[in-house]
Amino acid sequence: MTTPKSLLERAFSLLSVFTVDRPAVTLSELSRHSGLPLSTTHRLVASLVELRALDRTPDGRYSVGLRLLELGALSPGSLDLRDRALPFLEDLYEVTRHNVQLAVRDGTEVVYVERISARDAVNVVTRVGSRMPLHCTGVGLVLLAAAPVAVQESVLAAPLKRYTPKTIVSSGELREVLARVRRDGYAVSDRQIEMITYSVAAPVRGQNGDVVAAVSAVVPTGTRTDTLVPAVRTCGLAISRALGWGAG
Amino acid sequence: MTTPKSLLERAFSLLSVFTVDRPAVTLSELSRHSGLPLSTTHRLVASLVELRALDRTPDGRYSVGLRLLELGALSPGSLDLRDRALPFLEDLYEVTRHNVQLAVRDGTEVVYVERISARDAVNVVTRVGSRMPLHCTGVGLVLLAAAPVAVQESVLAAPLKRYTPKTIVSSGELREVLARVRRDGYAVSDRQIEMITYSVAAPVRGQNGDVVAAVSAVVPTGTRTDTLVPAVRTCGLAISRALGWGAG
DNA sequence: CCATCGTTTCCGGTCAGTGGAAGACTGGGC
DNA sequence: GCCCAGTCTTCCACTGACCGGAAACGATGG
């Protein structure tokens, strides 16, 4: 959308056309949404298909290629973290029976790396690979509380997006919440994204003790907390142990 | 590794340096393994980091960026399929308690899209995003049996890689197996990858009835089959229904 | 049959990308 | 402390890969 210059920028602005709501598009749609001239789009798309970064669907449209899934699976968090964490996420899912999520921080955003949800779970907006701001989700709060000061200040300085009446939008309040998260070792995001859900999140630590990820359970408003908090915290600790925290 | 020419090819040959065994590398390793001159590597890597396709780890090495995870999550199979299938995979996992996998076909290979495995499950070589040939895995056989004739012939014509003494390497035998898979509606891969496991796989159909994916359960050799086969087939049918098979 | 929308091909100018070389930085061997 | 080997970063003049307007091609449908 912005004015791209280098070939790589152009290529990525093409890839950025694909979204959850628009997983397959025609060549001219690609051209329009990316702002690139049609012939340029055509040439670039051909190269990307050649490289399997894009796939041509039977109906002539284009979609993201499996090569990118393959590469994405190598991103930090997907490789080691995901594999080691999955069994414990399963355990947590057994207890909660709603939604269980694993996320890492990328800059000033949360990226979800894994998610387990029940067929009849409260519908959650997040998916694997999707992004959310740090200030309003359970995992976001945990990750933000453990982030470098520069990142925290950067988030606190920017306007905080409101999702519901309960969303924290005051930087002062957010500071307090973060302090509480650090003290307690877990975060609660109560109806900050949707008015029908709240989430409890706990940190996951790597070998050197740094917070590398966060686990959370998302449940319908009204579910009792007393068993949920220990379950989520235990899960976070278990994954941390599996990652070598407190060992060599 | 080949002689790249266009910028995109160069960029992808850089990305291809990353593997499961080598998830983070230094700049000069990147240069060496990709065969690109150091300065070119440096410039390209800088652009890729700018675009978040690569990340710089704290120790100065590079790893695949979360942007690629995000994009990969939009690939066909990851988006609709994965989300709809997950709850049913959970159910199947409850029954088997070992490994449950969901895979799609990409050319003449299987790409795993989702996997659930127990902490103490038999160790399986596959991961999300990883590839395997079509002739020897349960999901591969299901997908190959339903693939266009051109793909089948292409696989049958090429030499079939042997993994264990039980791996099918004769194209004649493979033809018979494929016919059986089509007739029975499921596939069994008995110790064809590792001598300690076998897998049962069933097709997943999309709205128009085409096979779009395959589910499988991987269990230790010796586990009884009589309950496994119906469970896997049922799971395949359930996911197909969730995808709109047999409806509008 | 023509109009419309999407796709593919063509081609000369030009500027983004190239990569050798030289300089900066690190760490570790003695 | 000094040197050296390995790694990373910066610089810059050359050049061929990329650009994109235009025009041909091909469906669809009224």
Side-chain angles (χ1 to χ4, degrees), chain B residues 53-71:
Chain B
L54 290 182
D55 257 4
R56 185 128 212 207
T57 58
D59 62 352
R61 310 201 307 168
Y62 294 93
S63 66
V64 175
L66 289 164
R67 191 71 227 284
L68 290 180
L69 174 67
E70 196 179 352
L71 286 171

Side-chain angles (χ1 to χ4, degrees), chain A residues 60-188:
Chain A
R61 311 204 302 172
Y62 294 94
S63 66
V64 176
L66 288 165
R67 190 72 227 283
L68 290 179
L69 173 67
E70 197 179 351
L71 285 171
L74 296 174
S75 62
S78 285
L79 201 63
D80 222 48
L81 179 58
R82 185 183 201 151
D83 268 15
R84 308 231 193 171
L86 247 177
F88 299 102
L89 297 178
E90 289 294 331
D91 296 348
L92 182 55
Y93 169 73
E94 303 255 318
V95 177
T96 64
R97 285 281 149 189
H98 283 283
N99 294 279
V100 169
Q101 301 174 324
L102 182 69
V104 298
R105 182 176 64 80
D106 189 32
T108 58
E109 289 177 310
V110 163
V111 178
Y112 291 88
V113 169
E114 190 54 85
R115 172 189 141 195
I116 304 177
S117 49
R119 210 181 357 276
D120 54 351
V122 278
N123 189 28
V124 177
V125 289
T126 56
R127 308 160 159 272
V128 170
S130 68
R131 289 165 184 271
M132 289 290 281
L134 285 169
H135 71 280
C136 51
T137 66
V139 281
L141 290 171
V142 166
L143 292 171
L144 184 54
V149 182
V151 174
Q152 294 188 21
E153 290 308 324
S154 152
V155 170
L156 286 160
L160 303 172
K161 181 173 178 192
R162 176 182 289 288
Y163 287 83
T164 73
K166 299 274 289 179
T167 307
I168 298 171
V169 289
S170 128
S171 65
E173 198 183 340
L174 183 53
R175 268 180 215 279
E176 285 174 35
V177 170
L178 291 178
R180 198 156 59 235
V181 170
R182 270 187 292 268
R183 172 163 53 79
D184 298 345
Y186 70 93
V188 176

Side-chain angles (χ1 to χ4, degrees), chain A residues 5 7 10 37 39-40 43-44:
Chain A
K5 252 186 156 184
L7 180 56
R10 288 163 201 256
S39 50
T40 301
R43 192 166 18 80
L44 268 181

